[in-house]
Amino acid sequence: MSERALYESEEDEFEVRGEDARSSGGFAFGTVVFPVEKVQDFVDAASVLINPVDSYLGKYVGLYLSDKVVGSGNAYPESDEEFEGEENSGGSNLPTYWKVLGTFKDAKSQIPNWLWAVMQTEDYDAYLKEILKCSVVIYDLTDNPTMERFEEVRAVCDAFRARVPTFKTRRVFILISSVHSWYHTKSPDPSDPNAYLSEQDYRRRRTKPAYRDLQLLERYVVASGKMTKGMFKAYVVGAGAVYGAGEGPLHHWFKSAWHNAKYLPIYGTGKNFLPTVYIKDLASILQNVMDFTPRRQRYILAIDPILCQQDQIVKSISECLGTGRVMKLPEEDIYLNRELSTFQADQLQLDLKIETTFCRDNFNVDFTAEKGMNMLISKIAAEYKKSRNLEPLKVCILGPPGVGKSTISRQISDIYRLNHFTQADMIASTIEILRDIAGDQSEPDIVGLDVSREEDAREAAKKLLAEVDLSLGPMDGTDAESEIARKSVSQLGDEIICKLYRFRLLTNQCQNQGFVLDGFPETDDQARMLFLAGEELGEFYGEEPGEDGKDILDPRIVPDKIIVLEASDEFLIQRMLTIPTAQLQDRHQDKVFPGVLQAYRKKMDNYDSTALHYMDLQEMIYYSIDVTADSSANLPNIILRISDLLGKPHNYGLTFEQENALKNAQQLEAEKVSTIEKEDLAQIESKELEDRRNNIQQWMEKLAKIKREEFEREEAAMIPLRHYLMAHVVPTLTKGLIEVTRVRPYDPVEFLAEFMFQHNPGSINNANAQKFRDEMIKKRGTTK
């Protein structure tokens, strides 16, 4: 059968063809036939494979199913004829829980303790053989699907279909897809605003060209299950944007709000209906499909009962976690967001009025977002913080002046990414924020969540500013920090100071990330006014004191760790002498510091009026640390002790921009080091080259000298021999050569030899020389 025919086949058509084939004893036209090995069918009826199990969706679905009994889904009893669920026939009354197996896309992912086994995919043929032993196989394509994943899904479906004749137990394949395949699908009745798309419109789907392959894959999976007549069931679950337990496509909004972005972006008008689904509801739908295997419905939508528009979702996130502000941006700006893939950006731009009628009519799923996602935002935000370990850390550091409170507080805030507040900084920055709220006139594209809420905040800010102005007088300047520096903070009463502190510490910024209180509170009254539960918590806590007569404290402000630094006066004075004068605060200067230290000691002598006294009464635990063991300026040993006390950071760490800045700084540093290394290497190579040239020159000079000396030695050795030849050989040889030239004998060499022999001055044969000459002439045949 062609692929197109496979996509467009209906289940009833396969049933008719199957009946015709059985009655005729042959194969129906268009039937796909696979060669099958006659091997025994091995299957674990309680095993479910999730590919991948380390994705956002895979982690939660795996955890959810690992705690569920096989066959414990919640289908409606009156719709049993729609399902083919099998009874748990384990031969025992004990419940059988799903055994979750998984594949990992990241080899470094931590294996969860609920995972039954890890399935390797390096040997793909072996993987396909092992996957056939699983009762249920779930593939997650909700996160940036690729053509490689599409081909893998087709291969798995083909492997199951090829082995169907050997199956004794039904297999189930579930593809978790997205609703991108509905991208351009129009409402069934454009004139009816209440007309929603549903599973019945499956064949009417229209999408963008970019997601045509995804649409074809969904049809392939649906058709693959219909061809096998019950022993292989294949389903597609079209899920909206999944949220909850850590967030998926919506994560960038949650992260920006947690980082206290000035506003959250709404792309376009924000009026698009964004299909979403709570992750627990999606897992429940998958469980029902696994347990009851619908007979005819093979494409199932997983969508929240109430759809929210994009601006409703963004505003609710901003209100719960962020500043409460949103800003409308051009629609195309979503593709400039570096934290979003194109797939996720398109998902957030979907505008579909769509509902899941099949789940509502056949599955008893208790949808968590029954009233819409925006009404569930507090629960979602709490899950988001818990799943990503984003617990705010609240720290208070106290101690005498000059002990290093600010130095330690700054370093702790940098390590744990906390908001650090000295008393002057807190007052100045809070006044700036109050001014901004009180005089706020939002730009047209920047809006708040609720006009009445904005107005209430503006009036509260004006009221608190009026109290500050009453104590300090009107501040004409626009820089609150310089105004506070110019005017004495002591003019502000403890009540106003604590109000400013409480206002700032209760902002989402401090509640999300935590804070470090640097040297505050100092007195018993300040501690009581700061930590005591405010009026906004009165209904929850009541106005009566707590048990044992203790005050009811505000858990949002009470520090998790209180650290008291201690040191002797001699150590503190000596420490001030080692710090450069330019880095000292005014009250730490040589002439001022002794008096400040004496005033602090006098205040601490009256223990009942100190903040530590109030903490003792409320049984708040604090830790005393002696800093005299570390005399260095930045107190690294003390920082290490405090870090051990506080534990690991519970935050995101660096923001996207900070990560880029750090990467750029590291890259510049690496380039600088590389440049230095290259320069050093070039110098080394240059020196080596120069040394090599010098060595070669020296070697050549030595070689020439050796040759010259050898030649001279040979010359010297040749002098005696030359003299000997000149005296005894050369004269006779010369005469012989002349005679050879004159006579020109037939054999000149023999003639010369005989001549030399006959005319040797020391020879006795000189009398025969003439006779020798005549004989040689005769041999030549000539006469003199």
Side-chain angles (χ1 to χ4, degrees):
M1 180 183 293
S2 67
E3 189 172 289
R4 180 177 179 82
L6 183 60
Y7 292 144
E8 298 179 351
S9 298
E10 293 287 348
E11 181 178 17
D12 295 338
E13 294 175 2
F14 284 107
E15 292 177 356
V16 173
R17 291 175 182 174
E19 293 295 334
D20 292 343
R22 286 190 291 272
S23 62
S24 62
F27 294 108
F29 174 76
T31 302
V32 179
V33 180
F34 295 93
V36 179
E37 298 178 7
K38 298 298 183 180
V39 294
Q40 186 176 358
D41 182 30
F42 295 97
V43 63
D44 186 343
S47 61
V48 52
L49 171 70
I50 300 177
N51 184 326
V53 77
D54 58 339
S55 65
Y56 158 63
L57 184 58
K59 290 177 183 177
Y60 187 88
V61 172
L63 175 62
Y64 179 88
L65 293 177
S66 66
D67 194 39
K68 300 299 178 183
V69 176
V70 177
S72 63
N74 298 317
Y76 287 120
E78 59 269 19
S79 58
D80 286 344
E81 67 278 2
E82 178 65 29
F83 304 118
E84 298 181 12
E86 295 180 345
E87 296 295 331
N88 178 22
S89 56
S92 172
N93 293 327
L94 295 176
T96 301
Y97 290 88
W98 286 107
K99 300 176 183 178
V100 181
L101 295 81
T103 64
F104 284 84
K105 60 182 180 179
D106 184 1
K108 298 180 181 179
S109 297
Q110 184 177 3
I111 300 177
N113 55 10
W114 47 261
L115 189 65
W116 188 269
V118 177
M119 190 170 289
Q120 302 295 334
T121 59
E122 285 78 7
D123 187 344
Y124 195 67
D125 292 335
Y127 166 71
L128 288 179
K129 291 180 180 179
E130 290 298 316
I131 205 174
L132 296 173
K133 300 178 183 179
C134 298
S135 175
V136 180
V137 175
I138 299 176
Y139 262 70
D140 174 22
L141 289 187
T142 58
D143 184 18
N144 288 344
T146 61
M147 290 302 299
E148 289 77 9
R149 293 282 287 171
F150 293 168
E151 294 302 324
E152 184 179 347
V153 170
R154 288 191 177 94
V156 171
C157 289
D158 290 345
F160 273 108
R161 288 164 50 214
R163 294 293 298 275
V164 163
T166 67
F167 288 168
K168 296 180 180 178
T169 303
R170 182 172 61 240
R171 308 297 204 277
V172 177
F173 179 83
I174 302 176
L175 176 67
I176 309 176
S177 185
S178 66
V179 290
H180 284 73
S181 55
W182 297 73
Y183 204 98
H184 288 319
T185 308
K186 303 298 182 183
S187 172
D189 185 2
S191 62
D192 183 7
N194 296 320
Y196 278 70
L197 296 166
S198 66
E199 288 91 349
Q200 285 70 31
D201 300 298
Y202 169 73
R203 294 195 172 278
R204 294 183 53 252
R205 294 179 302 162
R206 296 292 181 271
T207 188
K208 295 174 66 173
Y211 303 113
R212 177 63 176 167
D213 289 328
L214 177 63
Q215 190 181 74
L216 293 176
L217 178 68
E218 292 173 353
R219 291 184 181 180
Y220 191 95
V221 172
V222 169
S224 296
K226 290 181 178 180
M227 297 177 64
T228 57
K229 300 307 297 174
M231 295 309 291
F232 174 57
K233 294 288 187 179
Y235 301 92
V236 175
V237 177
V242 187
Y243 64 90
E247 308 315 313
L250 311 182
H251 174 235
H252 75 289
W253 279 322
F254 280 86
K255 184 177 180 179
S256 295
W258 190 88
H259 276 125
N260 202 47
K262 186 175 182 180
Y263 58 82
L264 295 190
I266 295 175
Y267 299 103
T269 63
K271 298 303 179 183
N272 57 304
F273 285 91
L274 178 58
T276 56
V277 61
Y278 186 52
I279 194 168
K280 182 180 179 182
D281 298 340
L282 175 58
S284 179
I285 291 172
L286 293 174
Q287 180 194 5
N288 279 271
V289 174
M290 293 162 54
D291 286 336
F292 298 104
T293 57
R295 186 183 300 272
R296 295 184 180 276
Q297 188 66 42
R298 303 300 178 90
Y299 185 92
I300 300 170
L301 285 168
I303 306 293
D304 284 335
I306 300 296
L307 290 181
C308 292
Q309 294 174 319
Q310 182 196 163
D311 59 349
Q312 293 175 314
I313 295 173
V314 178
K315 288 178 180 179
S316 62
I317 296 173
S318 183
E319 179 182 21
C320 185
L321 283 176
T323 61
R325 298 295 187 83
V326 296
M327 181 176 183
K328 292 183 178 180
L329 299 177
E331 183 176 339
E332 57 272 13
D333 281 10
I334 193 172
Y335 299 102
L336 302 178
N337 191 323
R338 300 178 184 179
E339 296 189 4
L340 289 175
S341 64
T342 302
F343 184 85
Q344 293 172 329
D346 285 339
Q347 188 172 29
L348 300 181
Q349 289 297 303
L350 285 170
D351 186 11
L352 295 172
K353 298 186 71 174
I354 192 170
E355 61 181 350
T356 171
T357 57
F358 182 83
C359 292
R360 183 187 60 200
D361 297 340
N362 296 280
F363 293 155
N364 188 19
V365 177
D366 185 14
F367 283 96
T368 307
E370 190 67 42
K371 297 182 180 180
M373 175 189 171
N374 58 334
M375 304 301 293
L376 195 67
I377 193 63
S378 297
K379 173 182 173 63
I380 299 169
E383 289 181 357
Y384 166 75
K385 292 180 180 180
K386 181 179 179 181
S387 63
R388 294 186 176 269
N389 198 28
L390 300 176
E391 300 177 9
L393 179 61
K394 296 165 288 184
V395 182
C396 178
I397 297 181
L398 304 175
V403 76
K405 298 187 297 295
S406 296
T407 300
I408 292 175
S409 297
R410 280 194 296 270
Q411 294 184 69
I412 292 298
S413 65
D414 290 340
I415 295 172
Y416 291 86
R417 311 301 301 170
L418 307 176
N419 299 288
H420 169 222
F421 300 115
T422 63
Q423 182 170 331
D425 292 339
M426 166 67 78
I427 296 173
S429 60
T430 304
I431 290 176
E432 285 288 354
I433 294 174
L434 290 171
R435 284 179 176 178
D436 182 60
I437 296 175
D440 177 64
Q441 297 295 330
S442 297
E443 299 177 16
D445 289 335
I446 302 180
V447 296
L449 302 178
D450 189 337
V451 175
S452 60
R453 180 172 176 265
E454 288 275 313
E455 188 59 34
D456 291 343
R458 191 175 295 112
E459 290 300 322
K462 289 180 178 179
K463 182 179 178 181
L464 187 52
L465 279 176
E467 295 182 23
V468 173
D469 289 341
L470 185 62
S471 299
L472 295 180
M475 291 186 287
D476 300 329
T478 57
D479 188 350
E481 185 174 357
S482 61
E483 290 286 337
I484 294 295
R486 184 171 58 86
K487 299 184 178 182
S488 175
V489 178
S490 61
Q491 294 176 350
L492 290 172
D494 286 345
E495 183 178 358
I496 295 178
I497 292 177
C498 288
K499 283 183 178 180
L500 293 173
Y501 263 93
R502 287 186 59 84
F503 175 85
R504 187 62 183 277
L505 298 181
L506 290 175
T507 60
N508 282 337
Q509 178 185 10
C510 293
Q511 292 298 302
N512 287 341
Q513 301 157 16
F515 52 82
V516 180
L517 294 178
D518 183 354
F520 190 86
E522 297 178 350
T523 67
D524 178 273
D525 292 337
Q526 289 176 345
R528 180 179 292 104
M529 287 185 286
L530 180 63
F531 298 139
L532 198 64
E535 297 178 358
E536 65 274 11
L537 297 179
E539 295 181 2
F540 179 79
Y541 290 105
E543 298 181 358
E544 297 295 327
E547 59 182 12
D548 299 330
K550 293 189 296 184
D551 293 337
I552 302 298
L553 305 181
D554 192 337
R556 301 171 298 175
I557 295 181
V558 173
D560 301 311
K561 292 289 188 297
I562 301 173
I563 299 170
V564 180
L565 305 177
E566 297 179 348
S568 63
D569 292 356
E570 294 77 8
F571 176 85
L572 295 176
I573 294 174
Q574 185 63 33
R575 183 173 184 271
M576 291 299 99
L577 296 176
T578 61
I579 299 177
T581 305
Q583 299 179 13
L584 293 175
Q585 301 179 19
D586 292 340
R587 68 192 195 116
H588 291 165
Q589 299 295 333
D590 296 344
K591 297 180 180 180
V592 181
F593 180 70
V596 173
L597 181 58
Q598 184 179 2
Y600 173 82
R601 296 300 187 192
K602 185 177 181 181
K603 185 186 300 183
M604 292 300 295
D605 289 340
N606 186 11
Y607 180 73
D608 292 345
S609 65
T610 64
L612 294 181
H613 173 256
Y614 182 79
M615 294 174 184
D616 285 334
L617 291 178
Q618 305 306 317
E619 296 183 357
M620 298 168 65
I621 299 175
Y622 56 86
Y623 302 86
S624 297
I625 296 179
D626 187 359
V627 302
T628 57
D630 192 347
S631 59
S632 56
N634 291 324
L635 305 171
N637 295 332
I638 305 302
I639 295 296
L640 184 60
R641 288 184 59 186
I642 295 176
S643 298
D644 292 338
L645 184 64
L646 299 179
K648 295 181 179 179
H650 293 171
N651 51 37
Y652 272 112
L654 302 177
T655 64
F656 183 78
E657 292 76 12
Q658 290 170 335
E659 287 179 356
N660 284 341
L662 180 59
K663 289 179 181 178
N664 292 336
Q666 291 174 344
Q667 184 177 359
L668 291 175
E669 183 65 22
E671 291 176 353
K672 182 179 179 180
V673 172
S674 177
T675 302
I676 295 175
E677 290 178 349
K678 288 180 179 179
E679 291 176 353
D680 293 342
L681 182 61
Q683 292 179 358
I684 293 173
E685 291 178 348
S686 177
K687 187 176 184 302
E688 289 180 349
L689 181 60
E690 185 65 25
D691 293 342
R692 186 179 178 186
R693 288 175 178 173
N694 293 334
N695 292 336
I696 292 175
Q697 182 67 24
Q698 293 176 6
W699 180 78
M700 293 296 291
E701 292 176 356
K702 288 181 180 180
L703 180 61
K705 182 179 179 181
I706 291 172
K707 287 183 177 181
R708 184 171 62 254
E709 291 176 350
E710 184 178 359
F711 176 77
E712 291 175 352
R713 283 196 303 270
E714 291 177 352
E715 286 291 318
M718 288 294 292
I719 290 174
L721 180 59
R722 186 180 300 115
H723 289 172
Y724 172 78
L725 292 175
M726 293 299 293
H728 301 287
V729 178
V730 173
T732 306
L733 179 62
T734 303
K735 292 178 181 181
L737 291 174
I738 295 172
E739 190 65 23
V740 168
T741 304
R742 189 179 65 82
V743 177
R744 297 184 182 180
Y746 177 79
D747 188 350
V749 176
E750 183 182 357
F751 178 87
L752 180 62
E754 190 66 27
F755 181 88
M756 293 288 291
F757 178 74
Q758 294 293 335
H759 293 81
N760 183 2
S763 175
I764 61 175
N765 296 323
N766 288 336
N768 298 325
Q770 183 63 36
K771 183 181 179 179
F772 167 75
R773 179 183 178 198
D774 294 340
E775 288 178 357
M776 293 303 296
I777 295 173
K778 185 178 181 180
K779 287 182 180 180
R780 187 180 179 196
T782 62
T783 60
K784 186 175 177 182

